[in-house]
Amino acid sequence: DTTVKQNPRYKLARVGKPVNLICSQTMNHDTMYWYQKKPNQAPKLLLFYYDKILNREADTFEKFQSSRPNNSFCSLYIGSAGLEYSAMYLCASSPGTGYEQYFGPGTRLTVL
Amino acid sequence: AQSVTQPDARVTVSEGASLQLRCKYSSSVTPYLFWYVQYPRQGLQLLLKYYSGDPVVQGVNGFEAEFSKSNSSFHLRKASVHWSDSAVYFCAVSSPYGGSGNKLIFGTGTLLSVKP
């Protein structure tokens, strides 16, 4: 089973309000990723957990937070949503960095 | 640094025709290579992967890809497309050396439209 689940599938948020997205996987993968995907663009890596170690991309370092309370779950937290955060957010997991990643169905975030 | 180029932003083919989507990579070492597909309003699905060995790899739904070290390419092919293959296809690479800093580098994608 290569299932990655994401909740919610759709999220409507107000400008300035916080947003929390959830991801889970049952494959016992040690690495979990969060991407931002906008139309006609490549997925943009925001951050990833390698086991318990959080790695955040330099250009999104202050905009996104994450937690991984156990191997199966990972969250993405936006402290204050802006209009530019409207996008699809994709969670993925892999059996190790560099190997194939398995993606969830995504959460479509709309910020108004 | 690694990079991926998908030179065709959009490809249109007729149903039943053959397909090739192009992918060129830049890397100082032979990378791991992947093709993903994104259907409308869905996440990315892994089509196939290449780590080493036979340069022609088979994937799901009749897709295959061929790795060429001399051309730094990993083109995706299908012998006969179906209308349901209409989607965005992403090529991606990663380093074979692993480590906490390793990650997938994606191309910008190719939108495939299959005409009935």
Side-chain angles (χ1 to χ4, degrees):
Chain A
D1 183 13
T2 55
T3 300
V4 177
K5 296 182 179 180
Q6 292 187 240
N7 286 296
R9 293 293 309 277
Y10 300 90
K11 175 71 177 177
L12 187 63
R14 297 294 181 186
V15 170
K17 297 298 185 182
V19 175
N20 196 45
L21 308 180
I22 303 295
C23 177
S24 65
Q25 52 95 7
T26 57
M27 296 170 280
N28 200 33
H29 287 166
D30 59 9
T31 311
M32 295 185 73
Y33 305 80
W34 281 101
Y35 291 85
Q36 183 189 67
K37 175 75 174 65
K38 294 186 175 182
N40 304 314
Q41 295 183 17
K44 177 183 173 62
L45 180 65
L46 301 176
L47 52 87
F48 67 96
Y49 267 98
Y50 179 54
D51 195 13
K52 294 181 174 63
I53 300 171
L54 175 61
N55 298 268
R56 289 186 286 179
E57 294 295 284
D59 59 344
T60 58
F61 191 85
E62 295 180 347
K63 297 181 180 180
F64 299 93
Q65 293 284 346
S66 183
S67 67
R68 192 178 185 184
N70 55 54
N71 178 268
S72 300
F73 287 87
C74 189
S75 67
L76 180 70
Y77 181 75
I78 301 169
S80 177
L83 295 175
E84 71 276 16
Y85 288 83
S86 291
M88 172 81 85
Y89 289 84
L90 297 169
C91 175
S93 71
S94 75
T97 59
Y99 293 103
E100 73 274 15
Q101 295 180 18
Y102 297 93
F103 285 81
T107 295
R108 182 169 297 281
L109 173 64
T110 302
V111 182
L112 300 175
Chain B
Q2 296 176 313
S3 66
V4 179
T5 300
Q6 294 181 248
D8 304 308
R10 181 190 288 262
V11 170
T12 300
V13 297
S14 297
E15 192 167 25
S18 63
L19 170 71
Q20 176 171 280
L21 301 182
R22 296 184 292 165
C23 173
K24 299 273 286 185
Y25 68 87
S26 175
S27 177
S28 58
V29 298
T30 299
Y32 292 161
L33 295 151
F34 310 88
W35 275 99
Y36 285 86
V37 60
Q38 185 179 30
Y39 298 104
R41 295 174 295 281
Q42 296 187 27
L44 273 67
Q45 297 177 28
L46 179 67
L47 273 180
L48 45 78
K49 60 192 179 188
Y50 174 80
Y51 290 151
S52 65
D54 189 337
V56 179
V57 291
Q58 304 296 322
V60 299
N61 298 332
F63 285 95
E64 68 174 27
E66 183 168 6
F67 165 65
S68 171
K69 186 174 182 178
S70 60
N71 294 322
S72 297
S73 67
F74 189 56
H75 300 331
L76 182 70
R77 303 188 298 236
K78 187 171 184 179
S80 177
V81 297
H82 187 264
W83 65 267
S84 60
D85 293 324
S86 297
V88 181
Y89 292 79
F90 292 96
C91 182
V93 303
S94 70
S95 167
Y97 297 128
S100 62
N102 197 8
K103 52 196 176 188
L104 287 185
I105 307 298
F106 285 91
T108 51
T110 297
L111 173 62
L112 173 65
S113 298
V114 180
K115 298 186 299 182

